Amino acid sequence: MKKKIALEKVILYLFLIAGSLICLFPFYWMLRSSFMDMAQIFVMPPIMIPDPVVFTNYQDALEVMPYFRYLLNTLIVVISNVAGSILAASLCAFSFSRLRWPGRDEVFMIILTSLMMPSIVTMIPTFVMWSRLGFTNSLVPLAVPIWFGGSVYNIFLFRQFFLSIPRELEEAAAIDGAGLYSVFFRIVFPLMKPIILTSVVLNTLNVWNDFQMSLTLLQKKAVRNVPLTQYFFFGENSIELGLAFALFILSMIPILILYLSLQKYIIGGITSG
């Protein structure tokens, strides 16, 4: 019986290892190509290890595109979205989970229905609105709206997390004379670390990969972000694949570091919410 279980585990692990290698192979291909010149990239049969290793692709990519300027633009939007989403969505979720007011549950269900609406539906109205306000070609449309309510998904996530917190903690604080805001910021908010870290990762990934809205609202070079950098790099340097792959690797490093450092909180935060 034990040998059968051990054999099943071996087969399972072999299957998982094979699946992992298949998923990781495109990333390896991109990494090895970033250290190759054009001749090595297109040679047949393919070369798995660069020979010679071309380190200058990274330096040339940074000279061709002002990568760090675009990285700064992206970080400004990411930080604004993460901070705004955590503050605004947690306050909204606290209201939906702890406060009693007429039509609370009905309003929450109406808000949830917006999750079923494709973002492409609101893209044209969004562009027209920001264009008339004079904020196109600026970071305002990408960084500011999140402060007015957070996002629907984060509201849902935080609300479910609040429902798992015992009300006795808040009642005890209220007995000691704590007001509503004191209960939230001194009692409830410190307990939100797992769900906040989960929100940080998910929001950062969402903003980092937000290509369509960035392309719609940002046309000037000075306000481009990382996704647009990759897009316009191919348009302006279409044959320099080694440089393009190097730029892709540089674009992945910050988000990869964040994900690897906080990955243990993602599943825990989602399941607790």
Side-chain angles (χ1 to χ4, degrees), residues 38-77:
M38 293 291 291
Q40 292 185 76
I41 292 176
F42 288 104
V43 70
M44 293 299 293
I47 301 174
M48 300 306 295
I49 300 176
D51 185 24
V53 178
V54 182
F55 291 101
T56 56
N57 283 342
Y58 287 86
Q59 180 180 353
D60 294 342
L62 294 176
E63 292 177 355
V64 171
M65 300 290 284
Y67 169 76
F68 291 106
R69 171 63 184 176
Y70 300 157
L71 178 62
L72 177 62
N73 292 339
T74 305
L75 291 177
I76 291 173
V77 176

Side-chain angles (χ1 to χ4, degrees), residues 102-208:
R104 182 193 67 176
D105 296 336
E106 290 75 12
V107 172
F108 180 68
M109 293 304 298
I110 292 173
I111 291 176
L112 283 184
T113 57
S114 64
L115 288 173
M116 297 183 290
M117 183 181 298
S119 59
I120 194 70
V121 174
T122 60
M123 187 169 295
I124 294 178
T126 300
F127 173 78
V128 172
M129 179 188 71
W130 288 114
S131 179
R132 291 183 177 178
L133 292 174
F135 286 114
T136 53
N137 289 315
S138 74
L139 299 179
V140 172
L142 300 179
V144 172
I146 196 71
W147 288 87
F148 298 92
S151 66
V152 177
Y153 182 74
N154 279 306
I155 292 174
F156 172 77
L157 207 61
F158 287 150
R159 176 183 178 271
Q160 299 305 111
F161 182 80
F162 289 149
L163 292 176
S164 66
I165 298 177
R167 288 182 177 269
E168 287 77 7
L169 295 175
E170 303 161 39
E171 294 171 353
I175 293 173
D176 290 338
L180 185 62
Y181 288 100
S182 295
V183 169
F184 177 77
F185 287 107
R186 294 185 179 182
I187 305 300
V188 178
F189 199 80
L191 300 175
M192 295 173 57
K193 180 182 177 181
I195 200 69
I196 286 177
L197 293 176
T198 301
S199 177
V200 168
V201 175
L202 296 179
N203 278 284
T204 302
L205 287 171
N206 183 53
V207 175
W208 201 272

Side-chain angles (χ1 to χ4, degrees), residues 6 25 28 68-69 81 86 92 151 182 205 208 246 257 260 265 267:
F25 184 75
Y28 168 75
F68 291 106
R69 171 63 184 176
N81 274 265
I86 291 173
C92 292
S151 66
S182 295
L205 287 171
W208 201 272
I257 293 174
L260 292 177
Y265 297 103
I267 297 178

